Amino acid sequence: MPTSTAPSTARERARIEITQEILNTARDHLTKDGAAALSLRAVARDLGMVSSAIYRYVPNRDSLLTMLIIDAYDSLGADVEKAERTVRREAHLERFLTTCQAVRTWALAHPQEYALIYGSPVPGYAAPADTIVPASRVPAVLITILIDMHSRGRQPKPTPVEPLVSTAIADLRMFSGGLLPDDLLLRGMAAWSSLFGAISFELFGHLHNVVADGSKYRKAYFDHQMRQVALGLRLG
Amino acid sequence: MPTSTAPSTARERARIEITQEILNTARDHLTKDGAAALSLRAVARDLGMVSSAIYRYVPNRDSLLTMLIIDAYDSLGADVEKAERTVRREAHLERFLTTCQAVRTWALAHPQEYALIYGSPVPGYAAPADTIVPASRVPAVLITILIDMHSRGRQPKPTPVEPLVSTAIADLRMFSGGLLPDDLLLRGMAAWSSLFGAISFELFGHLHNVVADGSKYRKAYFDHQMRQVALGLRLG
DNA sequence: TGTACATCAGTGAACGCGCGTTCACTGATGTAC
DNA sequence: TGTACATCAGTGAACGCGCGTTCACTGATGTAC
């Protein structure tokens, strides 16, 4: 009995390879023209296939988008995890800042992929459940940092949280394994959305005429802001 | 000599009216199907025009998008200014929170328009300079609140700002009339991008499985976070 | 090891659709004398 | 107040394009005996 993970036949191996090539080509198109312009026909053309052949591998356009979304979340997640892993576990502040910088670095290098996952939703497209796990990789890194900080006894006096707000974040509390007080969970959420707010503003052009254009200015500005966010997390 | 603002002839009046109808119809389409699906032909069809007739009013598709972008910024700006105006001038915290809530209320009521101006840029489209002033209305409200607060002597000890960061925000300093210290300008920027980060996350689906779905939970969560942001501004 | 059948990848044509934009035109409105 | 000309709005046909998806088909690969 062959295991289901080891493809045996030439057909199976070819299928996996070609599916991968489709994904790579689709990613190239996404990078060049954005998600809205992504077309099955164009991808097939680039691979020297007739347009209908691609339907042997991809049931329709939406599923190709889903593949790209998962791919983008995983690419971002892998980069961020790798960067964060290099930092001393006790250096909570530095772990946070490294995480933020890794997200920004990835976003600048992959603007269309960033827009695909953190920009406006593609109209008429509903993300299926398979995207949830890859989408959680960055939040998971952030929460782990908070848990580590919290468990080492660095517990600032928590701000009280209204019951309605506490109820609102029940899912998040579960995701964090119930290891963090509501106050810290909320600060974590604030940090998370500040991080992506800052990057979206930069990438989507809202810093024009506000923060100088040069990449060193942009980086200095971003780092400054994330250090302030870290203060809000009491990581400083 | 008739003033240039008062249209005299029937032709001129018709032109203004029809241009307005085009904009309204385009906004309806935007609301239903998003910016990517916006088509000159469809707008013309809805107005009972032949598709080529619309070119008497709009030079091309991009310029219609520009009109919609300006329209959206102005709609948001007007709502926010109106809401903020009702608050006692001395109540700086409440002015800030009211502003945040007005932005969110507008965004929830006009999700596609919000996505058009704060979501991923439309690929191949470059916003012209005419969008700058309408886009500055919300930032202007926020800065005015900070200036009022600052001028009433509520000056917390400023965090020192690195020279590179200070240089980076030269444009912003000018926009604020040089009335605010760098530290406060940066806190204002942080507040601004936190505000839009929070709304984008909510609108673009990133709170699914994190913050409970009901509108009262979402509102309670948002208000809580904005109150924390206000603390960072030392408005509390 | 060889044969018969089943599975699957890739072909090529087609359906039906919608788009942005141009162009020569007709007929109504506006202007100058 | 009336006429001659200029301006402009709207028409209808056309160009050239690309898209997603289906379908009957051929021929290669895989499987069971």
Side-chain angles (χ1 to χ4, degrees):
Chain A
M1 251 196 277
T3 65
S4 62
T5 48
S8 41
T9 70
R11 239 189 212 164
E12 270 175 62
R13 259 176 294 131
R15 172 162 260 279
I16 287 167
E17 265 175 39
I18 293 175
T19 305
Q20 194 57 51
E21 278 171 27
I22 289 173
L23 187 58
N24 290 340
T25 307
R27 200 191 301 111
D28 289 350
H29 285 199
L30 173 65
T31 298
K32 272 183 214 113
D33 308 313
L38 183 75
S39 112
L40 290 183
R41 289 185 99 110
V43 170
R45 218 181 292 128
D46 266 26
L47 288 170
M49 280 171 151
V50 99
S51 69
S52 52
I54 205 164
Y55 284 88
R56 297 282 165 207
Y57 299 92
V58 171
N60 53 46
R61 187 178 178 274
D62 272 8
S63 82
L64 185 59
L65 269 183
T66 300
M67 289 166 70
L68 286 170
I69 288 172
I70 292 174
D71 187 68
Y73 275 127
D74 276 328
S75 165
L76 168 63
D79 276 17
V80 168
E81 287 164 10
K82 189 179 164 193
E84 195 267 349
R85 217 181 293 125
T86 65
V87 183
R88 246 183 57 243
R89 295 296 83 186
E90 297 75 30
H92 302 119
L93 171 62
E94 209 188 326
R95 283 169 69 188
F96 175 75
L97 294 178
T98 300
T99 299
C100 293
Q101 283 159 2
V103 174
R104 177 168 177 269
T105 300
W106 184 89
L108 291 177
H110 307 87
Q112 295 285 6
E113 287 171 87
Y114 180 87
L116 178 63
I117 54 183
Y118 287 106
S120 349
V122 179
Y125 171 85
D130 342 10
T131 58
I132 294 177
V133 171
S136 308
R137 291 175 69 168
V138 171
V141 169
L142 291 172
I143 283 186
T144 304
I145 298 173
L146 290 184
I147 290 175
D148 287 358
M149 179 189 80
H150 187 70
S151 70
R152 304 279 160 99
R154 294 182 48 81
Q155 310 204 26
K157 59 162 191 271
T159 312
V161 172
E162 299 155 58
L164 192 58
V165 176
S166 180
T167 308
I169 57 168
D171 284 354
L172 175 62
R173 202 179 305 116
M174 244 181 65
F175 182 72
S176 73
L179 296 170
L180 295 175
D182 284 354
D183 174 52
L184 198 51
L185 285 174
L186 286 162
R187 288 175 191 280
M189 283 293 297
W192 185 43
S193 66
S194 285
L195 167 59
F196 284 94
I199 293 172
S200 291
F201 262 21
E202 179 172 359
L203 233 62
F204 298 166
H206 292 282
L207 299 188
H208 281 153
N209 310 309
V210 180
V211 176
D213 271 357
S215 70
K216 72 175 172 182
Y217 295 120
R218 290 288 165 91
K219 180 170 167 41
Y221 167 77
F222 178 81
D223 288 351
H224 175 95
Q225 294 293 24
M226 289 308 114
R227 221 169 290 123
Q228 297 298 309
V229 169
L231 290 182
L233 284 172
R234 279 101 185 244
L235 280 171
Chain B
M1 251 196 277
T3 65
S4 63
T5 47
S8 41
T9 70
R11 240 188 211 164
E12 272 176 61
R13 260 177 293 131
R15 173 162 259 279
I16 287 167
E17 265 174 40
I18 293 175
T19 305
Q20 194 56 53
E21 279 171 27
I22 288 172
L23 187 59
N24 291 340
T25 307
R27 199 191 302 112
D28 289 349
H29 285 198
L30 173 65
T31 298
K32 272 182 212 113
D33 308 314
L38 183 74
S39 112
L40 290 183
R41 288 185 101 110
V43 170
R45 218 180 292 128
D46 266 26
L47 288 170
M49 281 170 151
V50 98
S51 69
S52 52
I54 205 162
Y55 284 88
R56 296 284 165 207
Y57 300 92
V58 172
N60 53 45
R61 186 177 178 273
D62 272 10
S63 81
L64 185 57
L65 269 183
T66 300
M67 288 165 71
L68 286 170
I69 288 172
I70 291 173
D71 186 68
Y73 275 126
D74 276 329
S75 165
L76 168 63
D79 276 17
V80 168
E81 287 164 11
K82 189 179 162 192
E84 196 267 349
R85 216 181 295 125
T86 65
V87 183
R88 245 181 58 242
R89 295 295 84 187
E90 297 75 32
H92 303 119
L93 171 62
E94 208 188 327
R95 282 169 70 188
F96 175 75
L97 294 178
T98 299
T99 300
C100 293
Q101 283 158 2
V103 175
R104 177 170 177 268
T105 300
W106 183 90
L108 290 177
H110 307 88
Q112 295 284 6
E113 287 172 86
Y114 180 87
L116 179 63
I117 55 183
Y118 288 105
S120 349
V122 178
Y125 170 86
D130 343 10
T131 58
I132 295 178
V133 171
S136 309
R137 292 175 69 168
V138 171
V141 169
L142 291 172
I143 283 187
T144 304
I145 297 173
L146 291 183
I147 290 176
D148 287 358
M149 179 189 81
H150 188 71
S151 70
R152 303 281 160 99
R154 293 184 48 82
Q155 310 204 26
K157 59 163 191 269
T159 311
V161 172
E162 299 155 58
L164 192 59
V165 175
S166 180
T167 309
I169 58 168
D171 284 355
L172 175 62
R173 201 179 307 117
M174 244 181 64
F175 182 72
S176 73
L179 295 170
L180 295 175
D182 285 353
D183 174 52
L184 198 51
L185 284 174
L186 286 161
R187 288 174 191 281
M189 282 295 295
W192 184 42
S193 66
S194 284
L195 167 59
F196 284 94
I199 292 172
S200 291
F201 263 22
E202 178 172 358
L203 232 61
F204 297 167
H206 293 280
L207 298 187
H208 281 155
N209 310 310
V210 180
V211 175
D213 272 357
S215 71
K216 71 175 172 180
Y217 294 120
R218 291 288 166 91
K219 180 169 168 41
Y221 167 77
F222 177 82
D223 288 350
H224 175 95
Q225 295 292 25
M226 289 308 112
R227 222 168 290 125
Q228 298 297 311
V229 169
L231 289 182
L233 284 173
R234 280 101 185 244
L235 280 170

